[in-house]
Amino acid sequence: MSYPRYVLPLLVLVGAVCGSASAQDASCLNRTLSVTVSGAGWRLKQGLVPSDFRGKYRGKPVQIVSLATDDRSRRIVILLDVSGSMNAAEVGRKWPLAWALALHISETAMPNTRLALLIFNEKIVERIDFAQGNAAVAKRLQQIAIDKTYSKSHIKGRTALRDTILEGLHILESPTMNDSIYVITDGGDNASRHGQQEVLRAFIAAGIRLFASLITLTTNTRLAPPEEFSGPHDLKELIRATGGYPIAVIGTSPFGVPRFNFDSQGRQALAAAASELYRLMTENMRMTVRLPDPPDKWRHWELRLSEQREREWKGAQITYPTELPPCQ
């Protein structure tokens, strides 16, 4: 068949565009993400292979292409909440516990892992970048402990939690799925300009996971501000969707008086839980999956253990990014 001369360039152009779109769709089907599987006491499961998993996207099976231990270098940005609710007597003075948790991770030996620190309320109060080194983070937290005026003069103001989480993402500059944000907070947010979905999509697009030590009460108290009721739930949803994990540090309220004082046994249990959380941050697996269809918009997908593994490991938990961004 012969074509007029002016039609040929058009056919070549259409073929190039279609070929490019087809290649883009093929590339978009393959996604690499961070996965962890933990059993009782958050103990990580080791030696897993692709056949130990099954995935589903829009009712269709997802192919598990590869799975490997991710032993690349790590970065963790610690976000420490110093807003007024952390030091309010009527809600149990959460600050001493929050500070102790921040110091604990700064003094924990984690090979091939670098730390940064943001101390925040409605703005960033202090910043220690990765270039300053892990020792600088621990040193500053130790200095805060011996500053008798710190609690009164610095722990105040409103809370811009979502804004600070995004700022932690910016510190990472060129983030990878080996990087994490670890926030120590009561979960309240009454000053952020950025919304929940904006934060979630920024994390998913970057492949970053969010972790938290969430300091809460066993029972609601009328003395707590409204944002402390919805805030922890919103934060947990962000953590779950990014493939991270929270510790719920629960205080008690005997006779209606909230408190976060722990005996030596309670402190040891909390330190052990925190250490397991650090393992989840630093010992994840890298999984590549192939989707049956390219996402046309933000979509949810499901990853589960195989039927055999579910029978063997009852109660095991998988953490992974649950949302998929659309193809570019």
Side-chain angles (χ1 to χ4, degrees):
M1 181 182 295
S2 61
Y3 295 96
R5 291 180 59 189
Y6 63 85
V7 175
L8 290 175
L10 179 61
L11 292 176
V12 172
L13 176 61
V14 170
V17 170
C18 292
S20 175
S22 176
Q24 180 185 8
D25 287 349
S27 174
C28 185
L29 294 176
N30 295 320
R31 303 295 177 99
T32 300
L33 44 90
S34 175
V35 175
T36 58
V37 179
S38 56
W42 300 351
R43 300 292 180 181
L44 288 170
K45 298 293 186 181
Q46 306 291 345
L48 294 166
V49 295
S51 59
D52 290 324
F53 297 87
R54 50 184 167 149
K56 186 177 291 186
Y57 172 71
R58 304 188 72 183
K60 300 178 182 179
V62 172
Q63 179 186 358
I64 313 300
V65 177
S66 65
L67 184 70
T69 300
D70 202 333
D71 55 4
R72 295 174 294 174
S73 61
R74 314 276 174 164
R75 294 180 297 177
I76 300 172
V77 183
I78 305 165
L79 310 183
L80 178 58
D81 187 348
V82 294
S83 61
S85 64
M86 300 299 289
N87 202 36
E90 64 270 18
V91 289
R93 296 196 187 280
K94 305 162 189 173
W95 163 248
L97 180 57
W99 166 82
L101 285 164
L103 182 66
H104 185 269
I105 188 172
S106 74
E107 294 183 336
T108 298
M110 292 182 286
N112 208 22
T113 301
R114 293 186 292 154
L115 302 177
L117 173 67
L118 293 181
I119 300 176
F120 73 98
N121 46 36
E122 58 201 69
K123 61 183 180 181
I124 306 301
V125 177
E126 294 188 51
R127 179 193 307 258
I128 298 177
D129 295 320
F130 293 108
Q132 295 171 258
N134 296 5
V137 174
K139 182 179 179 180
R140 179 58 188 134
L141 291 167
Q142 292 161 0
Q143 290 170 342
I144 288 173
I146 60 177
D147 183 351
K148 303 302 183 183
T149 67
Y150 190 89
S151 177
K152 185 176 181 179
S153 60
H154 289 80
I155 306 174
K156 58 186 179 181
R158 299 198 301 162
T159 316
L161 177 58
R162 290 187 299 273
D163 288 358
T164 306
I165 290 173
L166 280 178
E167 182 60 26
L169 187 60
H170 295 154
I171 283 182
L172 292 165
E173 293 182 353
S174 300
T176 72
M177 69 182 65
N178 291 44
D179 299 325
S180 303
I181 306 291
Y182 172 46
V183 58
I184 304 170
T185 181
D186 58 14
D189 191 330
N190 55 12
S192 283
R193 294 174 289 106
H194 298 91
Q196 181 92 345
Q197 282 300 309
E198 186 176 354
V199 176
L200 171 61
R201 292 182 176 183
F203 267 71
I204 296 295
I208 306 300
R209 294 178 297 157
L210 180 63
F211 295 83
S213 284
L214 186 57
I215 304 174
T216 62
L217 286 168
T218 52
T219 57
N220 291 339
T221 170
R222 294 179 181 179
L223 298 174
E227 63 269 13
E228 289 189 30
F229 296 142
S230 61
H233 174 268
D234 291 344
L235 181 60
K236 288 177 183 177
E237 285 298 304
L238 272 177
I239 292 167
R240 178 195 60 81
T242 66
Y245 210 93
I247 291 178
V249 185
I250 301 175
T252 58
S253 51
F255 309 109
V257 181
R259 63 185 180 88
F260 292 91
N261 299 322
F262 294 90
D263 57 20
S264 59
Q265 184 176 359
R267 288 193 296 271
Q268 290 175 3
L270 181 55
S275 296
E276 289 303 318
L277 188 69
Y278 309 155
R279 289 192 64 203
L280 291 171
M281 293 183 199
T282 59
E283 297 184 21
N284 61 302
M285 295 176 291
R286 187 167 67 252
M287 175 183 285
T288 299
V289 302
R290 184 172 178 82
L291 304 175
D293 302 300
D296 56 343
K297 61 181 180 179
W298 284 88
R299 297 278 190 181
H300 182 82
W301 77 295
E302 180 182 2
L303 181 66
R304 297 178 59 182
L305 290 170
S306 66
E307 293 181 358
Q308 179 181 346
R309 287 303 192 188
E310 282 187 346
R311 289 193 297 268
E312 293 175 353
W313 298 339
K314 292 183 179 179
Q317 296 188 58
I318 305 178
T319 56
Y320 66 99
T322 61
E323 303 294 323
L324 296 170
C327 299
Q328 297 299 320

